């Protein structure tokens, strides 16, 4: 035998394989013996335990057993309550108390015997019954021996005695799980009930709750059973929270006594934070809130009404300085979180003046240019709201994070927006401040690196190697890391500008050449959003005065034009589009100042799309050309809407002028496909409107002279360029006659016109099918179907009216069933039809 291994190694493998086979044989023999016992025994035996499995204890209760024992305990408890509280024959309360004492003693003694016999679940049920009987014994004792005792005082003493007794009982029978948690629950009552018995006020009651919570925390730290620790933790949280809320509420009226309580709560919470790592952050938050409430409550008596919230905010900012202390990190995080929460509440308190400064002018009920805001714009808001906002801005700006810089920018903008409302500034200074805020915000949006110079954040560590993260040339990684991290995402004049923000990078954000969003972009868009909001508020406010309207729109036009020239990325595009919109607003304001009617205003608005078309021809393939032209086209649609609401004759003129603008745009190769169709559609609609204005009942006399030469031109083009689409060659000419004729046929009560139109469209449809021309087939078939529907509609309505009312729904249901049954086939047919139409020219 030719062995691949040496004899010694192969012998080891053979012995190992034989041992494995022996072990497998032993397992199979064990399973065989168990199967034989099952076959010869009427009751199925449990499967043999797997090797290494832990044996299940006999005292572990099953679910059915637990249900039975629970039901039995509940029934016994109900019986005991009925026996004690109601009656039992002629036995008085004293006799019932004696019987209860005997039964209670038995109920508390039996669990020890049951535990020795391994009946743990039964012992738990009997012990629970004994605990309930002890409560009933206390009630019977008061009724028999102390009938005149105060209820709260007796309950406090009884709960203390019961808590001690149950603690001793649970410690003596350590295998019982119920007595100790019940003892912890009962221990929550003595101190609060004692204070109530002594007629203590809310402050004394809060101190009692805090003392009880301290005892609970001691149990949490010293006890071993998990159920006891969990129960004590819940009690500490409930009573400690009650004490904290009570102290916070009382600090609004009685500062010093409530402040002492709050500081005590803070001390307890800090002790928990130092001892329990898992709850350190939450406990530190509670401590921070307590300290801020105490300090703010102490400042309230010496501050005017509007300065109370700023007082709390200053305390919160002072607490947030705990980030720089030597406390553990979790404690510092919790304290700073508490300060941040109070600061956020203060900012929310200060936001209504901001919303009023922006939205109140929009919700005006006075006419435009009425001068209704000659007096202070708004009043009734707290004058210290800007103070809160600026303090929050300073506090947030101190954090070395990108989001904090954006939040600081927003808060500064909110301060400037709320200042006119809180200070009750007159109309002119308010508008000037809105414009100044808009200018500053848009300047920062155009040049966000200006803000970065004042808000510097240490850069992230540079990579060790000289190559970039993307595998670029040596030396590029340092440049990208020192910049804004978006060098790979910028082209043209933007490329290589990472040095404009030296060392600027948000802490915790990796700086690499492939970073998708740079700090500069985040700052730019944040400032841009604030600027747009201020611009909208300024425009709404400026509508109260004619001069203010023109001045504001002029300033915004200049700002958005500067943004279109100087900004970067998408902000540049948005600024260019907004410049067009504001220019349209200027045109509308000029028309309103000249007291133009709506149709003349529509004609004036056409200057905007004409100007954007000229600008697009100048820009050519620049990135701004298409957005600017689309915005101008939207202004043109607005002009059409104004004309349609006034005079049809002016609507035709506006449509025709729009067609001229679109036709001029179609001279550019990059705009020709869409602009040519738009021009044709506008000219066609203008023709229809003009014919309707002239009350023309025979539009074919005007459309056929256009259709015939258009079709001739289409034929000639198809001969020169066989690949030209039928829509380009024949579509405009056919639509020029078929569509107006269709409208005329629908309004014609006689039959000659629909008949002639049907014959003509049938011929067009057949020609389209014969020569595989999509435009002829689709246009002719559509007009033919609509014309036939018009002719058949009265008969269909008459027939449907004669049918029973249940028949149409039944037919619709059958149709749906048929379609559902042949759904796949219908899809294939529709797909074939679409493919055939797609192959046509």
């Amino acid at each position: 035998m030719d062995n691949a291994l040496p004899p010694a190694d192969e012998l080891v493998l053979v012995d190992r394989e034989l041992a494995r086979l022996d072990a497998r044989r032993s397992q199979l023999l064990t399973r065989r013996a168990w199967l034989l016992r099952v076959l010869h025994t009427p009751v199925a035996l449990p499967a043999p335990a797997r090797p290494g499995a832990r044996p299940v204890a006999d005292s572990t209760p099953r679910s059915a057993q637990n249900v039975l024992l629970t039901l039995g305990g509940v029934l016994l408890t109900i019986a005991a309550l009925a026996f004690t509280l109601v009656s039992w024959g002629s036995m008085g309360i004293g006799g019932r108390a004696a019987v209860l004492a005997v039964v209670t003693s038995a109920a508390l003694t039996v669990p020890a015997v049951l535990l020795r016999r391994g009946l743990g679940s039964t012992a738990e049920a009997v012990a629970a019954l004994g605990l309930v009987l002890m409560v009933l014994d206390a009630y019977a004792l008061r009724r028999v021996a102390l009938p005149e005792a105060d209820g709260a005082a007796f309950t406090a003493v009884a709960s203390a005695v019961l808590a001690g007794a149950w603690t001793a009982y649970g410690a003596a029978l350590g295998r019982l799980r119920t007595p100790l948690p019940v003892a912890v629950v009962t221990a929550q009552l003595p101190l609060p009930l004692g204070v109530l018995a002594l007629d203590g006020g809310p402050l004394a009651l809060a101190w009692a709750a805090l003392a009880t919570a301290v005892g609970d925390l001691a149990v949490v730290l010293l006890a071993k059973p998990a159920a006891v620790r969990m129960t004590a933790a819940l009690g500490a949280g409930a009573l400690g929270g009650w004490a904290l809320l009570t102290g916070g509420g009382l600090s609004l009226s009685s500062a010093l006594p409530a402040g002492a309580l709050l500081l005590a709560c803070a001390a307890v919470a800090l002790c928990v934070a130092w001892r329990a790592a898992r709850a350190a952050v939450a406990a530190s938050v509670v401590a921070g809130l307590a300290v801020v409430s105490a300090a703010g409550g102490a400042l309230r008596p010496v501050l005017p009404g509007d300065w109370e919230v700023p007082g709390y905010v200053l305390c919160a900012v002072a607490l947030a300085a705990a980030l720089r202390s030597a406390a553990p990190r979790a404690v510092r995080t919790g304290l700073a979180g508490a300060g941040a929460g109070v600061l956020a509440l203060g900012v929310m308190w200060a936001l209504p003046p901001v919303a009023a400064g922006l939205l109140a002018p929009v919700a005006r009920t006075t006419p435009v240019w009425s001068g209704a805001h000659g007096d202070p714009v708004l009043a009734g808001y707290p004058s210290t709201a800007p103070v809160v906002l600026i303090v929050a801005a300073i506090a947030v700006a101190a954090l070395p994070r990108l989001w904090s810089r954006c939040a600081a920018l927003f808060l500064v903008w909110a301060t400037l927006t709320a200042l006119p409302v809180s200070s009750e500034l007159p109309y002119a200074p308010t508008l000037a401040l809105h414009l100044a805020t808009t200018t500053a915000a848009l300047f920062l949006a155009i040049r966000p690196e200006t803000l970065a110079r004042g808000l510097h954040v240490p850069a992230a560590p540079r990579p060790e190697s000289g190559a970039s993260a993307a595998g670029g040339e040596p030396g590029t990684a340092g440049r990208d890391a020192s910049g804004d991290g978006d060098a790979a995402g910028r082209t043209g004049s933007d490329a290589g500008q990472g040095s404009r923000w030296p060392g600027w990078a948000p802490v915790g954000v990796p700086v690499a050449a492939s970073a998708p969003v740079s700090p500069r972009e985040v700052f730019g868009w944040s400032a841009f959003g604030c600027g747009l909001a201020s611009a909208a508020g300024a425009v709404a406010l400026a509508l109260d005065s004619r001069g203010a309207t023109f001045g504001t729109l002029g300033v915004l036009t200049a700002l958005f034009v500067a943004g279109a020239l100087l900004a970067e990325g998408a902000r540049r595009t948005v600024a260019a589009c907004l410049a067009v919109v504001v220019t349209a607003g200027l045109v509308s304001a000029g028309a309103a100042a000249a007291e133009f009617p709506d149709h003349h205003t529509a004609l004036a608005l056409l200057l905007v799309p004409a100007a954007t078309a000229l600008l697009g021809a100048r820009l050519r393939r620049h990135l701004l050309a298409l957005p600017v032209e689309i915005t101008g086209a939207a202004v043109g649609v607005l002009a059409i809407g104004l004309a349609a609401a006034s005079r049809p004759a002016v609507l035709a003129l506006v449509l025709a002028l729009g067609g001229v603008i679109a036709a001029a745009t179609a001279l550019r190769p990059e705009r020709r496909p869409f602009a040519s169709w738009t021009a044709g559609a506008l000219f066609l609609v203008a023709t229809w409107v003009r014919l309707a204005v002239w009350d023309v009942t025979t539009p074919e006399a005007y459309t056929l002279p256009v259709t015939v030469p258009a079709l001739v031109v289409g034929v000639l083009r198809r001969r020169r360029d066989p690949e030209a689409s039928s829509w380009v060659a024949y579509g405009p000419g056919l639509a020029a006659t078929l569509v107006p004729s269709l409208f005329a046929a629908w309004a014609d009560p006689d039959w000659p016109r629909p008949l002639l139109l049907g014959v003509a469209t049938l011929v067009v449809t057949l020609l389209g099918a014969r020569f595989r021309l999509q435009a002829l087939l689709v246009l002719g078939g559509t007009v033919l179907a609509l014309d036939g529907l018009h002719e058949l509609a009265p008969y269909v309505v008459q027939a449907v009216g004669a049918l029973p009312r249940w028949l149409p729904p039944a037919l619709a249901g059958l149709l749906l069933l048929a379609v559902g049954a042949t759904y796949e086939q219908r899809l294939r047919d529709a797909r074939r039809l679409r493919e055939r139409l797609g192959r046509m020219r």
Side-chain angles (χ1 to χ4, degrees), residues 738 752-766 780 784 787:
L738 293 181
R753 183 191 300 274
L755 177 60
L756 293 175
L757 179 62
V759 172
T761 51
L762 178 60
V763 171
V764 171
T765 304
L766 293 176
L784 178 62
D787 184 60

Side-chain angles (χ1 to χ4, degrees), residues 4-396:
L5 295 175
D9 295 339
E10 186 177 1
L11 178 61
V12 172
L13 292 177
V14 170
D15 291 341
R16 188 178 302 167
E17 185 68 18
L18 289 174
R20 187 184 65 81
L21 292 175
D22 290 341
R24 180 59 178 166
R25 185 173 184 276
S26 299
Q27 294 177 1
L28 293 176
L29 289 175
T30 303
R31 182 67 178 177
R32 180 177 181 275
W34 180 80
L35 291 174
L36 289 174
R37 289 199 303 272
V38 169
L39 291 175
H40 293 86
T41 305
V43 179
L45 298 177
R50 296 180 181 178
R54 298 179 61 182
V56 180
D58 294 338
S59 61
T60 301
R62 298 177 181 178
S63 58
Q65 182 184 13
N66 283 339
V67 172
L68 294 176
L69 292 176
T70 302
L71 290 176
V74 169
L75 292 176
L76 288 175
T77 302
I78 293 173
L81 290 172
F83 169 74
T84 306
L85 301 178
V86 185
S87 64
W88 187 37
S90 59
M91 186 177 295
I93 187 65
R96 280 179 278 170
V99 173
L100 279 176
V102 174
V103 175
T104 301
S105 301
L108 294 176
T109 305
V110 169
V113 179
L114 296 175
L115 287 176
R116 284 196 298 268
R117 297 188 177 184
L119 301 176
S121 298
T122 308
E124 291 283 356
V126 177
L129 176 63
L131 300 182
V132 175
L133 291 175
M134 290 181 71
V135 176
L136 297 177
D137 286 336
Y139 171 76
L141 177 63
R142 180 177 181 274
R143 291 288 304 274
V144 173
L146 303 169
E148 302 298 330
D150 180 70
F154 179 82
T155 305
V157 174
S159 58
V161 173
L162 288 176
W166 290 343
T167 301
Y169 184 70
L173 301 178
R175 293 174 60 185
L176 292 179
R177 292 168 295 187
T178 305
L180 290 179
V182 173
V184 173
V185 173
T186 309
Q188 313 302 310
L189 301 177
L191 288 180
L193 291 176
V195 172
L196 289 177
L198 296 175
D199 295 329
L203 185 62
L205 192 61
W207 276 108
L210 180 61
T212 305
V214 172
D216 291 334
L217 293 175
V219 173
V220 172
L221 296 175
L222 299 177
K224 293 183 178 180
V228 176
R229 294 200 306 270
M230 180 63 67
T231 306
L234 293 176
L239 294 178
W242 179 15
L244 181 63
L245 293 177
T246 303
L250 293 176
S251 66
L252 302 178
S253 56
S254 55
L256 294 180
L261 174 63
L262 291 171
L263 292 178
C265 292
V268 173
L270 285 177
C271 291
V272 173
W274 245 273
R275 293 292 302 271
R278 294 183 179 179
V281 175
S284 301
V285 169
V286 173
L289 293 176
V291 171
V292 171
S293 298
L299 291 176
R300 282 178 62 89
V302 298
L303 293 176
D306 287 347
W307 286 90
E308 293 176 353
V309 174
Y312 281 100
V313 169
L314 290 175
C315 295
V317 172
L319 182 64
L323 280 173
R324 301 184 180 276
S325 65
R329 181 176 181 180
V331 175
R332 287 186 282 119
T333 302
L335 293 177
V342 176
L343 190 63
L345 292 176
V347 170
M348 293 178 62
W349 173 84
L351 284 182
V354 181
L358 286 179
L359 302 178
V362 180
R364 67 161 43 84
T365 58
T366 56
V368 176
W369 296 350
S370 63
H373 281 160
D375 295 330
V377 180
L378 292 168
Y381 289 94
S383 60
T384 56
V387 177
V388 173
L389 292 173
I390 198 65
V391 169
I394 296 172
V396 171

Side-chain angles (χ1 to χ4, degrees), residues 289-511:
L289 293 176
V291 171
V292 171
S293 298
L299 291 176
R300 282 178 62 89
V302 298
L303 293 176
D306 287 347
W307 286 90
E308 293 176 353
V309 174
Y312 281 100
V313 169
L314 290 175
C315 295
V317 172
L319 182 64
L323 280 173
R324 301 184 180 276
S325 65
R329 181 176 181 180
V331 175
R332 287 186 282 119
T333 302
L335 293 177
V342 176
L343 190 63
L345 292 176
V347 170
M348 293 178 62
W349 173 84
L351 284 182
V354 181
L358 286 179
L359 302 178
V362 180
R364 67 161 43 84
T365 58
T366 56
V368 176
W369 296 350
S370 63
H373 281 160
D375 295 330
V377 180
L378 292 168
Y381 289 94
S383 60
T384 56
V387 177
V388 173
L389 292 173
I390 198 65
V391 169
I394 296 172
V396 171
L399 298 177
R401 292 291 184 271
L402 177 59
W403 67 265
S404 65
R405 300 302 193 262
C406 297
L409 177 64
F410 168 77
L411 290 171
V412 172
W413 167 83
T415 303
L416 296 176
T417 305
L419 187 60
V421 178
S422 300
S423 303
E424 299 184 7
L425 292 180
Y427 176 76
T430 300
L431 181 59
L433 186 57
H434 271 293
L435 289 176
T437 304
T438 303
T439 304
L442 292 180
F443 172 75
L444 292 177
I446 295 172
R447 286 290 178 263
E449 65 273 9
T450 305
L451 183 64
R453 297 191 186 102
L455 298 175
H456 179 73
V457 177
R462 297 184 180 182
E464 296 293 336
S465 63
S468 64
E473 296 179 359
T476 59
R479 183 179 69 247
D480 292 338
S482 64
D484 54 6
D486 66 339
R490 291 180 275 120
T491 59
S493 61
D494 295 338
Q497 293 182 356
S499 60
R500 295 169 64 181
W501 277 24
W504 170 253
V507 174
V509 177
V511 182

Side-chain angles (χ1 to χ4, degrees), residues 577 580 609 612-613 624-637 671 674:
C577 295
V580 176
T612 56
L624 294 181
L626 183 59
V628 167
E629 291 181 73
I630 292 175
T631 309
V635 176
V637 173
R671 299 286 185 265
F674 180 79

